[in-house]
Amino acid sequence: MRYLTLVLVLGACAAFAVGTDLGEVAHDGAAYLPPEPNGFLDVLYMTIEFDLGQFVTGIATVPSYGWVIADDFVLDQDSNIEKITYWVLVDQEASGYVHRFWNDTGGSGPGSELNNADADYTLTSTGQYASGYLVYKMEAEMDYELDAGHYWGASYFSSGFWYMTVTNNAWDDMAYFDYGGGGSGPWYSSQYMFGAPYGFFQVIEGTAVEPEFDPPYVDYMDPDDGEVGVPLDSNIVFHCVDDLHPVDIGTINFTVQDSTLSGDRFASTGSALSVLAMPARTLPGDLVTDDADPMDVVCTWTGDDPFYEGVTVTCTVAAGLADDRGNEMTDDFVWSFTTEDIPKVAETTWGAIKAEF
């Protein structure tokens, strides 16, 4: 059944092959030329072996039917992708557009899917038609970070479809995705569509960055380090912050300890009372994280019981706090505060009280 699906899809796409007419249009219109760098973006990737005279067909991307065309690309450096340019034959204008990315599986096709890139797209008409379809230059703008490596990318949207224009003179590792079966359908190679090798042309622009190794850090604690007179029913709030990348909330390891023995915590030894030399007591409680801003995760700890009065409470975020790039905080982050010391009423007897009168 999967094989039949592939045959039917490719057969439908073949009806939109346009021979050399589209190639002639490409030579006449600057809209087909690779975009010039705009002064602040770098060309991070451009399909090689590209001949403007060899646009020959449009291959359908119709997510509602489960068909997606993907192309691979290689980033030599950690990069922030800001624009991807390619050309399409538009049948129905799409809505709900996103750009999707996948890891490569050792050169054998797309593997695990990454987060979608929120993108705004612009379609610029070339003023030319191919097989009754108006040809557009597509520019998808985004703000998407990827480490150096081998990836696959494709357009995706909730409605409408278009045909990705391809060339017949360069095999560029295209892949055809059958997105049926609950979104986990198989990938098929598109190397020899219509009996000849085909390739997809795209230009990826953005900024290449040096690898970033700074880990997240803890800030904005409440109660703050060294604070005194903290109410006994206080929650503890702190932020896990990273300046460039999302914090991995699974690496937040937080403990609260009462490190002072005082107040009512005495042990009776016969007729005498003595303070026991005991280790700091780890306090039970619940930690809730709010990652609405993934680079400033707000953490709130609520104790199962109020603090003892007049004690020192020590808070620790353990080493290993990391961002989604694996950069880890190497040392524990520790701060402490002192709870409110409520004066006690002196214990006495009714006789002593009467003696004061």
Side-chain angles (χ1 to χ4, degrees):
M1 179 60 67
R2 290 180 178 178
Y3 178 76
L4 288 176
T5 301
L6 178 62
V7 171
L8 290 173
V9 170
L10 298 186
C13 294
F16 299 98
V18 295
T20 59
D21 292 341
L22 185 56
E24 294 172 358
V25 170
H27 284 294
D28 294 338
Y32 283 100
L33 296 176
E36 293 292 331
N38 59 17
F40 63 91
L41 296 181
D42 300 319
V43 175
L44 303 174
Y45 173 87
M46 183 185 298
T47 305
I48 60 174
E49 300 179 14
F50 175 69
D51 181 347
L52 289 174
Q54 295 299 319
F55 275 130
V56 293
T57 191
I59 303 179
T61 285
V62 193
S64 59
Y65 293 165
W67 307 338
V68 177
I69 292 294
D71 184 53
D72 76 320
F73 61 94
V74 175
L75 297 177
D76 294 328
Q77 302 178 70
D78 294 352
S79 302
N80 188 71
I81 296 175
E82 298 183 43
K83 185 169 73 171
I84 299 179
T85 302
Y86 50 97
W87 286 265
V88 297
L89 312 179
V90 176
D91 179 69
Q92 298 176 13
E93 185 172 355
S95 63
Y97 179 90
V98 295
H99 212 87
R100 301 172 64 192
F101 295 99
W102 295 262
N103 286 308
D104 179 69
T105 54
S108 60
S112 58
E113 185 171 355
L114 306 176
N115 292 332
N116 290 339
D118 294 328
D120 295 321
Y121 69 89
T122 301
L123 292 172
T124 303
S125 171
T126 65
Q128 304 294 334
Y129 288 82
S131 295
Y133 291 90
L134 188 58
V135 181
Y136 287 85
K137 179 172 70 173
M138 157 66 75
E139 295 174 289
E141 297 186 354
M142 62 192 72
D143 183 6
Y144 195 81
E145 292 184 348
L146 281 175
D147 292 333
H150 191 172
Y151 300 95
W152 292 76
S155 299
Y156 195 81
F157 32 84
S158 58
S159 66
F161 66 92
W162 51 53
Y163 299 92
M164 318 292 280
T165 57
V166 295
T167 71
N168 69 353
N169 69 334
W171 166 228
D172 185 42
D173 286 343
M174 293 179 62
Y176 198 88
F177 187 46
D178 177 1
Y179 200 60
S184 58
W187 286 99
Y188 297 101
S189 169
S190 300
Q191 182 172 4
Y192 291 104
M193 288 182 173
F194 323 131
Y198 279 79
F200 176 75
F201 179 71
Q202 62 179 332
V203 180
I204 300 177
E205 295 178 87
T207 53
V209 299
E210 294 297 325
E212 187 267 329
F213 301 108
D214 293 333
Y217 54 92
V218 179
D219 207 348
Y220 311 115
M221 301 87 69
D222 182 21
D224 203 354
D225 187 35
E227 191 168 336
V228 297
V230 174
L232 307 184
D233 59 351
S234 297
N235 294 333
I236 299 173
V237 179
F238 61 96
H239 294 229
C240 294
V241 182
D242 194 287
D243 295 329
L244 293 176
H245 304 296
V247 174
D248 180 357
I249 62 174
T251 65
I252 301 173
N253 184 0
F254 182 61
T255 57
V256 180
Q257 292 183 311
D258 177 348
S259 56
T260 301
L261 291 170
S262 63
D264 298 326
R265 286 166 295 159
F266 293 91
S268 174
T269 57
S271 60
L273 294 177
S274 63
V275 177
L276 294 178
M278 298 176 62
R281 181 173 66 101
T282 298
L283 304 181
D286 293 321
L287 182 69
V288 176
T289 57
D290 178 359
D291 61 348
D293 180 352
M295 292 192 295
D296 185 358
V297 177
V298 182
C299 304
T300 303
W301 182 89
T302 303
D304 290 352
D305 302 297
F307 298 121
Y308 287 135
E309 59 192 63
V311 300
T312 298
V313 176
T314 300
C315 306
T316 303
V317 177
L321 175 66
D323 59 24
D324 68 351
R325 301 299 179 95
N327 300 313
E328 295 186 355
M329 188 172 70
T330 57
D331 298 314
D332 291 348
F333 182 89
V334 181
W335 77 100
S336 61
F337 56 87
T338 303
T339 62
E340 186 175 8
D341 190 1
I342 302 175
K344 295 183 180 296
V345 176
E347 295 184 5
T348 185
T349 66
W350 282 106
I353 294 175
K354 291 178 182 179
E356 295 295 322
F357 287 90

